[in-house]
Amino acid sequence: MSTYDELVPVLKKLRLSGLLQSLEVRCREAADANLSLTEFLYRLLADEVERRDGKQLDVRMRRAAFERPSTLEDFDFSFNTSVPRTKVLELGTCAFVERQENVLVVGPAGVGKSHLAQALGQRACRAGHAVLYVSAHDMLTQLRASRADNGYERRLLRFTTPALLIVDDLGLRPLTGEEGIDLYEIVRRRYERAATCITSNRALEEWPPLFGDALLASAAMDRLLHHSHVLTIEGDSYRNPPPAKRTRAPRAAQVETAAR
């Protein structure tokens, strides 16, 4: 049995079997370039670190449940000049996630709110943060259903524990029943503990009535607006651009299916 064959079970026992993917290549490289043992070991272990980081990123992206791949790089900032590019790129550093701050993105349908929110979420995933993307309707529906099987607290944890929660399309429909209370509870539990990004077609001054109770609305909005970044976007829809902008459709098409 060769040394290589003897090495395989040792690596598996140490849970380093991933090294086998690049071991042969690195051994050949070390021989050809006359690498020192230290340099060889560094390159081999760096391969394993990269492999594990990639695997963990895949897990974070899958758990985030994004609707589609969205990046800041493929967002057409020139289509609607009201989009604060400098501010968006600053948020793309994900420092707001580390500081447990909120991002509120408001504007009419089609201007790219959902795309920007998911792009920030994917940046956060790459920065090592746990992220969850969910529509407001789906989130509140899940919480309402969880009351039927006494799983409310467990379901609530799904929305309160991620480092970044992205709630899309808040206020697209009126909140009913205890949905206002549920939304407040999520805001309250995440306040100064985790970052939250919310998109809405409604202006901020239209949000309080959604809660159905003035005191509840005041408490929720006070927490949302404290430590917050508000992006107000105006302009044309990527889905239905005016004639003057239709010649730029190939570029806009990269984001129009993600824009809301």
Side-chain angles (χ1 to χ4, degrees):
M1 180 180 292
S2 68
T3 303
Y4 184 91
D5 292 333
E6 293 178 340
L7 185 60
V8 173
V10 173
L11 290 175
K12 288 183 178 180
K13 189 171 184 178
L14 293 173
R15 298 184 179 181
L16 291 171
S17 56
L19 292 176
L20 295 172
Q21 298 178 21
S22 59
L23 179 58
E24 185 175 350
V25 172
R26 290 304 188 189
C27 286
R28 189 182 312 115
E29 180 184 54
D32 293 343
N34 195 27
L35 298 178
S36 67
L37 291 177
T38 303
E39 180 64 20
F40 164 73
L41 182 60
Y42 167 76
R43 295 189 183 188
L44 186 63
L45 294 179
D47 291 338
E48 177 65 4
V49 169
E50 183 177 354
R51 186 190 70 82
R52 292 190 181 189
D53 286 347
K55 186 176 181 179
Q56 291 170 4
L57 174 59
D58 289 342
V59 171
R60 288 194 298 272
M61 293 286 279
R62 185 169 63 254
R63 288 178 176 172
F66 297 116
E67 286 187 335
R68 57 185 62 82
S70 301
T71 68
L72 295 182
E73 288 75 17
D74 64 21
F75 188 83
D76 188 355
F77 286 95
S78 63
F79 186 84
N80 284 324
T81 56
S82 68
V83 180
R85 179 171 185 163
T86 300
K87 184 62 177 179
V88 170
L89 295 180
E90 176 189 335
L91 292 171
T93 66
C94 296
F96 79 95
V97 180
E98 298 167 5
R99 295 192 297 259
Q100 295 88 46
E101 297 171 343
N102 299 327
V103 177
L104 311 179
V105 189
V106 297
V111 294
K113 301 185 302 296
S114 181
H115 182 108
L116 288 175
Q118 292 187 79
L120 292 176
Q122 292 178 42
R123 280 284 184 95
C125 281
R126 296 185 183 281
H129 300 293
V131 179
L132 176 63
Y133 167 87
V134 64
S135 72
H137 173 70
D138 188 32
M139 180 182 72
L140 295 172
T141 297
Q142 289 183 46
L143 288 172
R144 182 173 64 250
S146 70
R147 286 191 169 88
D149 59 5
N150 296 317
Y152 181 79
E153 284 297 326
R154 185 173 63 254
R155 179 57 58 175
L156 197 60
L157 286 175
R158 170 175 168 77
F159 305 115
T160 56
T161 55
L164 173 60
L165 173 67
I166 301 172
V167 181
D168 204 9
D169 282 336
L170 177 65
L172 198 59
R173 66 176 184 82
L175 305 190
T176 59
E178 296 182 279
E179 290 180 342
I181 297 175
D182 292 341
L183 180 59
Y184 166 75
E185 191 62 22
I186 289 172
V187 171
R188 183 186 70 83
R189 294 195 185 193
R190 294 186 62 82
Y191 176 64
E192 292 190 331
R193 294 186 179 92
T196 304
C197 177
I198 301 178
T199 76
S200 178
N201 287 4
R202 297 177 181 269
L204 290 179
E205 54 268 25
E206 298 180 72
W207 289 21
L210 294 173
F211 292 88
D213 180 275
L215 290 177
L216 201 66
S218 177
M221 295 304 297
D222 185 60
R223 288 169 171 81
L224 280 175
L225 292 172
H226 191 213
H227 309 310
S228 71
H229 306 268
V230 179
L231 304 181
T232 302
I233 304 175
E234 300 175 349
D236 300 311
S237 168
Y238 283 101
R239 299 190 193 95
N240 299 294
K245 292 184 178 180
R246 286 176 185 170
T247 56
R248 296 163 57 182
R251 175 62 174 163
Q254 297 177 19
V255 296
E256 77 171 322
T257 56
R260 286 185 181 172

